């Protein structure tokens, strides 16, 4: 199996029994999974020849990475037990809305939707809450969600898609990554592409009852991949758009929220000012409600201002509001009476703020995203944290910010757009630039501090980077507790892409490339493909603006690795070659060696042995010449994977035993495990079944994770099958199917299903064999695995012959041949010869005992 692309030394057998959304759980799930994700079966079943793109559902550890990652910390989130496994029950709804009033009719409609579909098993129920900006769509969705959450025992999922924020929206792929990990999918099993993620999401929810709130959606494209396909789930979508496509195509129910009527608007105002003011007439309150266009957002802001000025007559307040000029021209809502009212109320409230509070509000419009911490706010405003906390409290009290956690805040997209407009008008270019520099410096240094304190040893950098010292007023967080560091990363992760995007936009090019290089220490561990690709591509723009070849090479190497782990092999090879050339030009020998190693792995996957060994030779030569002993060990281990994949089983056996006995891997437990796997598989292929079984038992004692154990068990099942212990093999394959399905690893599941079909064929149970081969073929096709599909088709053709269906067999073999036309390795040649012989009329009975499925 592959050892390393030069980045992380995965401990493939740490026992992990935790699942969930946080980086703590993600890290722990990944540790011990990655290193076993792919051996030669992955390349047999998932790659296409010549580097052709292949989209698999496995991931980071189709190699064991090259630098140190260690685990051993266990988290146990609450959940339901299902078959002995912990099933996460997410509870992601934001806090309920304080002082929620009215909407009784809308709540009744939502209740009716829930009751009418309570026993429906078909397509999920979807409701679109639509209405103008500030009408209270999110408040209703969250309030009703809390009201009925007991009806959804499998949890509640929530995401703010930021469809109308001045920054970039959240993509469906990013949302699915969060949802899938929250539902217990191991990061190593996260599909890299949107379509497969969406399919896995639908599968996981098919038997669950979950409430899903998709807040602030702008388009149907954002929403549709996030819809369950069946089951008893309910989806609430909030949007300013009518999202007619969801209604027409997906059967969504639309609920349009109207402005409050006068009585409801007056009631909200009275509730907010109750206990603070007296003597206001009903006519004054009604006039204030009308000036706010009866929009809940504007009503709450106006009411709060009235409440904190108990001695100012309501008539004077109303006069000020009526006279307020329309300062805002950047409102993203439609240009109508409601928009005018919101402009007026925002300007009216903003002008009443003390100068230092108004400055904080404006500068927050420069923050990379609408959500931030008190420490980030302190950095952007260049004030102490205690002062920042005081200023934010004032803004929360004025309903210009929402506090969403102990020290975390969020700005409504309308108010954020208003802040952006005000900072552009009232602050100098130099002042804005300094604020952006401060907040980005705070993020850069806090990310660096966080990564060194996460509960795991991460990817070692090819080259350490040294960010410029932060401005004197900026105090990055320092972490002494790994749990606190993990929690910070969880809370801030959504801001990292936004930080790089802001750095590029504002010309902070050094920061633009440093953030993705820092994050490269973790992204390969958690398979954060979307964020990884986005930050790295943006960082490249910054590095190229600076003509910084070293930074560009580091980013290209990271990008190549990201493409490889997400199974975009053409892009991975092209990018890797560009990185290699840059490293050579600047004399960066370590980068050249590690990139050569990475390209060797790609060549092994593409069945190009000469090129693969040439890259490995180059990497080893450079590592020895420049005393990079860790890379020498990596290359030695990767040669074992090459031997296995190129059917050089005697070489694999001899080299593995020599390395195990020499102690070269004694300080590298991951590499030792890979050597054990290699000698096990080589012994099996050489017909030494008893010895192979003993090696398998040895590997299984290395405290495997559930997914890593499934991989070893798959090989163990092959040994049992080929040694004639067919009943034991069936039991073993069944365990592999169950675990792979649980973790969403469709490639491993297909391997086990096909092997099960082969075993039933050896037992002469042809109908059952055909059923399992058909299921495997469907899975292989869903992940675009040409090799896996061809092998399973060959197996099904042999079964069809035994069932007396020669025409079906000929059709299956012909399709298999069409899938193999680009392969030129020994295993493909053997399979081609076998199929051509079968088509000439001499099919081999009792297929699969030593055929190319195990090559």
């Amino acid at each position: 199996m592959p050892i390393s692309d030069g980045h992380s030394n995965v401990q493939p057998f740490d026992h992990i029994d935790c699942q969930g959304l946080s980086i703590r759980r993600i890290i722990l799930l990944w540790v011990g999974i990655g290193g076993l994700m792919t051996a030669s079966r992955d390349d047999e079943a998932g790659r296409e020849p010549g580097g052709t793109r292949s989209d698999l559902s496995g991931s980071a550890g189709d190699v064991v990475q090259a630098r140190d990652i260690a685990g051993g910390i266990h988290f146990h989130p609450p959940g339901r037990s299902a078959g002995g496994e912990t099933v996460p029950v997410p509870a992601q709804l934001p806090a309920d809305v304080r002082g929620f009033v009215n909407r009784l009719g809308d709540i009744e409609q939502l209740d009716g939707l829930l009751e009418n579909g309570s026993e429906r098993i078909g397509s999920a129920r979807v409701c679109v809450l639509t209405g103008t900006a500030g009408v209270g769509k999110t408040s209703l969705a969250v309030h009703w969600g809390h009201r009925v959450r007991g009806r959804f025992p499998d949890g509640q999922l929530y995401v703010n898609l930021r469809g109308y924020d001045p920054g970039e929206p959240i993509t469906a792929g990013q949302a699915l990554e969060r949802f899938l990990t929250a539902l217990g999918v191991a990061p190593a099993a996260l599909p890299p592409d949107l379509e497969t993620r969406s399919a896995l999401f639908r599968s996981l929810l098919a038997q669950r009852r979950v409430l899903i709130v998709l807040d602030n959606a702008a388009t149907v494209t954002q929403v549709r991949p996030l819809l369950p396909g069946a089951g008893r789930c309910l989806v609430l979508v909030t949007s300013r758009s009518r999202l007619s496509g969801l209604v027409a195509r997906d059967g969504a129910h639309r609920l349009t929220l109207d402005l409050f009527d006068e009585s409801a608007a007056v009631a909200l105002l009275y509730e907010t000012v109750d206990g603070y003011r007296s003597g206001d007439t009903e006519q004054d309150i009604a006039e204030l409600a009308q000036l706010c266009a009866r929009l809940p957002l504007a009503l709450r802001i106006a009411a709060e201002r009235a409440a904190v000025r108990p001695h100012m007559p309501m008539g004077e307040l109303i006069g000020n509001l009526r006279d307020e000029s329309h300062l805002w021209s950047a409102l993203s809502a439609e240009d109508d009476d409601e928009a005018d009212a919101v402009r007026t109320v925002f300007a009216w409230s903003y002008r009443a703020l003390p100068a230092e509070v108004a400055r904080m509000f404006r500068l927050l419009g420069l923050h990379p995203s609408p959500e931030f911490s008190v420490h980030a706010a302190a950095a952007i405003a260049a004030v102490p944290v205690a002062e920042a906390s005081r200023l934010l409290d004032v803004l929360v009290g004025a309903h210009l910010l929402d506090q969403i956690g102990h020290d975390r805040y969020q700005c409504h997209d309308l108010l954020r757009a208003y802040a952006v407009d005000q900072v552009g008008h009232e602050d100098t270019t130099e002042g804005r630039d300094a604020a952006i520099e401060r907040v980005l410096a705070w993020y850069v240094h806090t990310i660096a501090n966080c990564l060194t304190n996460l509960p795991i040893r991460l990817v070692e950098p090819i080259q350490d980077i040294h960010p410029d010292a932060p401005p004197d007023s900026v105090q990055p967080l320092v972490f002494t507790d790994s749990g606190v560091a993990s929690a910070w990363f969880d809370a801030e992760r959504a801001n990292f892409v936004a930080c790089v995007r802001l750095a590029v936009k504002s010309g902070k090019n050094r920061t633009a490339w440093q953030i993705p290089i820092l994050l490269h220490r973790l992204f390969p561990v958690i398979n954060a493909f979307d964020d990884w690709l986005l930050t790295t591509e943006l960082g490249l723009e910054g590095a190229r603006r600076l003509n910084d070849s070293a930074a560009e090479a580091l980013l290209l190497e990271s990008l190549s690795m990201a493409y490889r782990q997400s199974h975009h092999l053409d892009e991975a090879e092209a990018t890797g070659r560009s990185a290699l050339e840059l490293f050579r030009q600047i004399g960066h020998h370590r980068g050249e060696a590690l990139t050569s190693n990475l390209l060797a792995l790609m060549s092994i996957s593409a069945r190009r042995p000469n090129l693969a060994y040439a890259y490995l030779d180059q990497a080893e030569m450079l590592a020895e010449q420049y005393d990079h002993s860790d890379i020498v060990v990596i290359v030695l281990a990767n040669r074992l994977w090459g031997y296995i994949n190129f059917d050089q089983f005697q070489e694999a056996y001899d080299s593995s035993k020599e390395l195990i006995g020499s102690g070269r891997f004694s300080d590298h437990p991951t590499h030792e495990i890979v050597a054990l796997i290699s000698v096990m598989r080589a012994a099996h292929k050489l017909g030494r079944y008893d010895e192979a079984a003993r090696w398998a038992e040895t590997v299984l004692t290395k405290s495997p994770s559930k997914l890593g154990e499934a991989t070893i068990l798959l090989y163990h099942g092959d040994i049992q099958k080929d040694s004639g212990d067919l009943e034991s093999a069936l039991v073993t394959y069944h365990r592999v199917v169950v675990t792979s399905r649980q973790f969403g690893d469709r490639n491993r599941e297909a391997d086990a299903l096909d092997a099960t079909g082969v075993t039933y064929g050896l037992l002469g149970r042809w109908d059952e064999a055909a059923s399992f081969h058909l299921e495997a073929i469907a899975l292989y096709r869903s992940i675009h695995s040409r090799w896996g599909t061809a092998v399973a088709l060959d197996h099904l053709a042999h079964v069809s012959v035994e069932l007396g269906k020669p025409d079906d067999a000929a059709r299956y073999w012909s399709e298999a041949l069409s899938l193999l036309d680009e392969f030129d390795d020994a295993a493909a040649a053997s399979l081609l010869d076998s199929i051509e012989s079968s088509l000439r009329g001499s099919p081999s009975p009792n297929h699969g005992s030593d055929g190319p499925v195990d090559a």
Side-chain angles (χ1 to χ4, degrees), residues 457-470:
R457 281 182 294 157
L458 304 175
V459 171
E460 292 183 13
I462 291 180
Q463 173 182 310
D464 289 321
I465 66 168
H466 304 285
D468 295 334

Side-chain angles (χ1 to χ4, degrees), residues 94 258 382 501:
D258 296 323
R501 185 174 281 117

Side-chain angles (χ1 to χ4, degrees), residues 371-415:
E371 184 181 323
F372 52 88
S373 69
V374 64
H375 299 88
I380 205 168
V383 298
V385 171
E387 174 66 4
S389 181
R390 184 187 71 81
L391 299 176
L392 295 174
D393 283 346
V394 176
L395 291 171
V396 170
H399 286 284
L400 297 176
L401 283 182
D402 293 319
Q403 186 166 5
I404 58 175
H406 170 63
D407 65 350
R408 296 197 68 78
Y409 301 82
Q410 182 171 277
C411 191
H412 190 284
D413 52 16
L414 294 179
L415 287 160

